[in-house]
Amino acid sequence: MSQTVRRAIDILECIARRPRTQTEVGEHLGVHRSTALRLLESLAEGGLARRLPDGRYAVGHRLAGLAQLAREQFGLKDVASEHLRGLGERSGHTVHLAALEGEQIVYVDKVDPVDGVRLYSQIGRPVTLHTAGVAKAILAHVPRDRADALLAGCDFAPHTGTTITDAAAYRAALDETQARGWAVDDGEYEDYVNCLAVPVRDSGGDVVAAVSVTALKAKADLAALEADVLPDLMTTAETISKELGWRP
């Protein structure tokens, strides 16, 4: 890669996080600010950057349009697929990807273990909101009124002895999930399986999906999942988020 192209990419990533002065961009690149200004002006001429009234530089409108076109070419499932399969191979358990779509949270992808039990969940079907870890991971991070609207039709029907069966207790579980950064399903739909789930963010920082690892309790209980799988699960969700354009 040529030095000019590399510097242009560095600049775009830098000003995408927040607007910068030419001096800040020069310090980021390790070059004189006159060199930074020349590069910024070239990017602005091409519509990829723009100069704000206060003199700082931000991403250009043309770049925003290109980002939208790119997002349409690379959907969530395409971006996540390879990472989900890697997580499934390393953990040996079932991996789910669920996404917020309209007024539902639906399973978008699923990786079954090669030699394990296949679970009831089906790609394209809605998740059970009050039991699924992926639902808690998403609902804990969307605005409160949005979560309440999604839960409006939830019957909180009991499925096992650990199912959360009232809205107040479920809200408390969402608060715990938000504070902790990951969600739990403690055998709440089927008493012989448990799972951990972690949210996935888009380029705007909004939580739009979640990745989970589900295991038979006889093979790995929650303590074992937390010790052996959670770090890899969190790294996988973070990698997918970054490939969707999220920046911490």
Side-chain angles (χ1 to χ4, degrees), residues 39 42 47 49 54 62 74 89-90 108 111 130 143 145 159 166 174 186 201 206 213 217 222 227 231:
L39 292 165
S42 294
D54 63 6
R62 184 179 181 188
F74 298 98
E89 289 177 5
R90 293 189 296 274
V108 174
V111 180
H130 65 298
D145 58 348
H159 294 279
D166 71 84
L174 294 186
D186 183 14
R201 298 180 184 275
D206 296 326
V213 172
K217 287 185 175 181
L222 286 178

Side-chain angles (χ1 to χ4, degrees), residues 11-238:
I11 289 174
L12 292 174
E13 290 185 338
C14 180
I15 64 176
R17 294 188 178 92
R18 64 174 176 82
R20 313 269 184 165
T21 66
Q22 67 182 80
T23 299
E24 289 176 320
V25 171
E27 290 173 351
H28 176 73
L29 295 177
V31 301
H32 192 273
R33 65 191 186 97
S34 63
T35 301
L37 178 62
R38 186 170 64 252
L39 292 165
L40 284 164
E41 286 298 315
S42 294
L43 290 169
E45 185 178 341
L48 301 179
R50 60 192 167 96
R51 186 172 184 176
L52 302 177
D54 63 6
R56 295 180 299 164
Y57 287 84
V59 293
H61 299 297
R62 184 179 181 188
L63 184 60
L66 291 172
Q68 179 60 37
L69 292 173
R71 193 158 41 237
E72 291 172 1
Q73 290 184 33
F74 298 98
L76 171 64
K77 186 175 180 179
D78 295 324
V79 169
S81 179
E82 177 183 349
H83 303 296
L84 299 178
R85 276 144 188 80
L87 178 61
E89 289 177 5
R90 293 189 296 274
S91 69
H93 304 304
T94 301
V95 175
H96 289 107
L97 174 69
L100 183 57
E101 294 187 356
E103 300 307 313
Q104 293 182 321
I105 296 173
V106 300
Y107 290 110
V108 174
D109 203 354
K110 178 182 181 182
V111 180
D112 287 309
V114 175
D115 56 353
V117 174
R118 297 181 184 275
L119 304 179
Y120 75 96
S121 53
Q122 297 179 29
I123 296 173
R125 299 287 298 171
V127 308
T128 304
L129 293 180
H130 65 298
T131 63
V134 286
K136 298 188 190 82
I138 293 172
L139 294 174
H141 293 90
V142 300
R144 181 67 174 266
D145 58 348
R146 176 77 164 131
D148 289 344
L150 288 162
L151 288 166
C154 182
D155 60 6
F156 291 99
H159 294 279
T160 71
T162 55
T163 304
I164 300 173
T165 56
D166 71 84
Y170 190 76
R171 170 48 63 185
L174 294 186
D175 291 341
E176 292 176 13
T177 296
Q178 185 182 51
R180 191 171 49 211
W182 43 275
V184 168
D185 170 1
D186 183 14
E188 295 161 39
Y189 189 85
E190 296 170 307
D191 58 8
Y192 58 92
V193 298
N194 47 207
C195 96
L196 303 180
V198 176
V200 172
R201 298 180 184 275
D202 67 6
S203 59
D206 296 326
V207 170
V208 294
V211 179
S212 70
V213 172
T214 304
L216 297 175
K217 287 185 175 181
K219 189 174 180 181
D221 60 14
L222 286 178
L225 287 177
E226 185 174 342
D228 301 332
V229 176
L230 182 59
D232 195 6
L233 172 59
M234 295 190 75
T235 298
T236 299
E238 181 176 323

